[in-house]
Amino acid sequence: MGADASKPCTQAPTLDQTADDCSQYDSAKAPFWNEDRTAVMEPIVSKQGVASEAPVTLFDFFEVAVKKHGDKPALALELPCPSVENKSDKGEWTYWTFSEYYAQVQMVGKAMIKLGLQPHDGVNIFGFNSPEWFMGELGGMMAGGIAAGIYPSDTPDQVEFKSRHSASAIACCETIKQGDTFKKLKAEGKLPALKAIIVWDRSTPFETYTAEGDVTVVHWSKLEDLAKDVTDEQLQERVSAAKPGSVCAYIYTSGTTGTPKAVMVTHDNIVYISKSCMTFNGDFGHMNQQERIISYLPLSHVAGMLVDIICPIAVTALKKGWVTCYFARPYDLKVGTIVDRMRSVHPTLFLGVPRVWEKIMEKMKAVGATTKGFKKSLATFGKSKGLELTKAQQMGGSGKAPGGYGIAKKVLDKVAKAIGLDQLRIALTGAAPITIETLEYFGALAISINEVYGMSESCGATTWSSPEAHVWGACGWAIPGSEIKAFRFEGGKRSDVPAAKDLFHPTEEEQGELCFRGRHIMAGYMANPDLGEDHVNEIKKKNAEAIDDEGWMHSGDKGCIDARGMVRITGRYKELIITAGGENVAPVPIEDNIKALCGAVSNIMMIGDKQKFNIALITLKCEGATGELAGTDMLTGAAATIDPDAKNLRQACDSELMIKAITKAITDTNNDGEVCPSSASKIQKFSILPIDFSVETGELTATLKLKRSVATNKYADLIASIYASKETFVKYVGEEPAYRPSEHPGSPEPDAADKELKEAAEAASEVVNAE
């Protein structure tokens, strides 16, 4: 379980890299971006190291993987997939080898050419993660198109924008309903470039036909027949036309601050970053054996694309081992059964956004709260030793296991097996900040979660933590061959920020905007000339703001870098609250501290821009709230334990115990000088919202980032009433939302994972007693 980090690093593995290891921007000419999807960007290579390797396309990589491990399983899907009503049933895994996978991608590429796809046309993929999603993206690329994924949660308006903006000629959809969205938009004249719709729903095959607006609709099962009309030579002509600097995919930004922008990703971007990121990852892929991942995060997001689609090909091509990608069930995140998939697959690498790790932690805490007597003492002993070990495995630690860890490990191994993480070698988190509380919780189980930081514009990762080099609360070090610096900008001039003496208590002078450059930086935001001159000029302006004349990508994140090369985010400039007194306040550390002090809190948003003081909107943990779904009004987890008489949100708002618990967490945070360094940082009033933030209600992006402006506009009347009130707690008064029906009107019944956790605790106690 976990990696053996018996000798943790004392500095970042790339700290001693020379200028020759990094891309030679000084010898290249600005601008380092383009808005034209047909342009070929020349990769800026280094003189030595991973960034010096000759540029190739993704398909050069893919062919190597097939030659090395063509007979090994690449993809695995449960067929048929048990319905959500039968979620406890075990499915049978169907496998595709790397040779079969590659052949299917070729077949899809040929079919898309037959359907009219031209070089640089967009290819939309709309649906939950599946082999068809992978094949649709890679087949479109192979045929010369540019993949443009759409989030499964996107609305018809968002689908229209992304499809029209990407000039997509083909849309691959999971369901007929999704296909009908494209048909309707085409019939209304809103998608002039669209030529064909492909639907892969296995349960509803149908024949090819022509629908409204002269768009061909074909079932996936018919693609092979279409592909027969295109020769190998015709397909190879498209493959050969692609250069390493050619754009192969668009990653649409989350749109937290406005209309999403299309980040242009090149072949060289994804090949380089997959090579660089796989350089430091313990023994992952080093042995001639299978590695396993679970695909469940949105593939239209850069993290899903990189970890699920690209890196498995890279590891299989570059290392001795091979990677099999197992697909989660479409409902796993919605109903909280992702742990069941972990227990089925036993992944060796698992990437979870913070919300996923938190949900697993909450479920395990709920189970732990029912453990009593000797079992409780045993669990406490095991976790204390696990935490000692994982703390010692951080950068600069001894790496040595504490006394008694041998017995503790037997307990911890049982728990890890119960949640399917007993064979895990790399645990990753990214896309949003994760709390120290979550890291310490899993650390106590001897599972060390490594943080990764980046953005769509840097192809997913710019800093990386590994089992050998990580510090909880920091987001790692610059990936090999890249550069990252913190800059201050004053009077139109840029200056380097000095290294932070204390990573967790940097001075203001030691903080600045994090900027980075390297072969992983996007080709630019794409402008579609069909949308008009104003649009093109606006995108050019955005590009110039994002990438300066020296090639530095400006992240918008405030942070610091210490002498060891470790990077830490301290805020985001666009999220900073600027009070009426002109003081800058970073809300995230304050919000995270309140959540850590009061387990009942699910989400919290601090408000105070241009105001005399700060307030907070708080949501409580409720059944069915997954981040994607808002859930019910029935309290769950820690929120259900504070006041036994408060069963739902309405009762919680009338509960003196609940209000007192939240008030204390806010007061204690206000009095913590490290979290709230000034009076301007303190929260004076709060309210509890009638429903949690979620993707379906619009406050969260598909990757569960908070859209602060959306939430602020939605609750504008409540915010105004809080500021007008003389009370510390202001009760929400307004229309009740339409809640989802509760699956458990009373006390929740334990699911299969909960029961196995309890069984693991019993078995663990028997092991220790036997000794």
Side-chain angles (χ1 to χ4, degrees), residues 22 40 51 87 127 153 166 211 234 259 297 321 337 339 412 429 466 528 544 583 607 609 635 639 647 681 717 745 756:
C22 301
V40 177
K87 60 186 178 183
S153 58
S166 60
Q234 287 174 296
T259 303
L297 293 174
T337 52
V339 171
L412 299 176
T429 186
S466 70
N528 184 342
E583 292 198 50
I607 297 164
D609 205 45
L635 301 181
K647 304 295 185 183
S681 305
D717 291 342
E756 188 144 330

Side-chain angles (χ1 to χ4, degrees), residues 673-713:
E674 293 185 1
V675 181
C676 287
S678 69
S679 296
S681 305
K682 297 180 179 181
I683 293 174
Q684 306 294 341
K685 301 179 182 182
F686 71 96
S687 182
I688 297 174
L689 297 181
I691 195 167
D692 206 350
F693 295 149
S694 70
V695 175
E696 72 169 340
T697 51
E699 303 91 357
L700 300 182
T701 70
T703 53
L704 307 185
K705 293 178 183 177
L706 178 59
K707 297 181 179 180
R708 293 178 184 267
S709 60
V710 171
T712 300
N713 291 335

Side-chain angles (χ1 to χ4, degrees), residues 42 65 81 181 241 295 325 340 423 444 456 524 551 555 604 611 636 668 720 737 748:
E42 189 66 30
C81 177
T181 297
S295 179
C325 180
D340 292 335
Q423 298 179 43
S456 300
S555 70
I604 175 172
Q611 300 286 352
T636 190
D668 289 349

Side-chain angles (χ1 to χ4, degrees), residues 432-435 557 568-572 575-577 585-596 604-606 669 675 681 683 706 708:
I434 190 169
T435 65
D557 289 317
R568 179 169 169 262
I569 310 298
T570 58
R572 180 155 179 80
E575 287 185 344
L576 288 180
I577 293 172
V585 177
V588 174
I590 299 169
E591 294 164 347
D592 285 347
N593 199 70
I594 293 170
K595 287 173 65 176
I604 175 172
M605 186 178 79
M606 187 172 166
T669 299
V675 181
S681 305
I683 293 174
L706 178 59
R708 293 178 184 267

Side-chain angles (χ1 to χ4, degrees), residues 733-755:
V733 177
E735 184 179 349
E736 286 284 331
Y739 297 110
R740 291 181 178 274
S742 174
E743 291 185 12
H744 309 294
S747 299
E749 290 295 322
D751 64 12
D754 292 339
K755 292 176 181 177

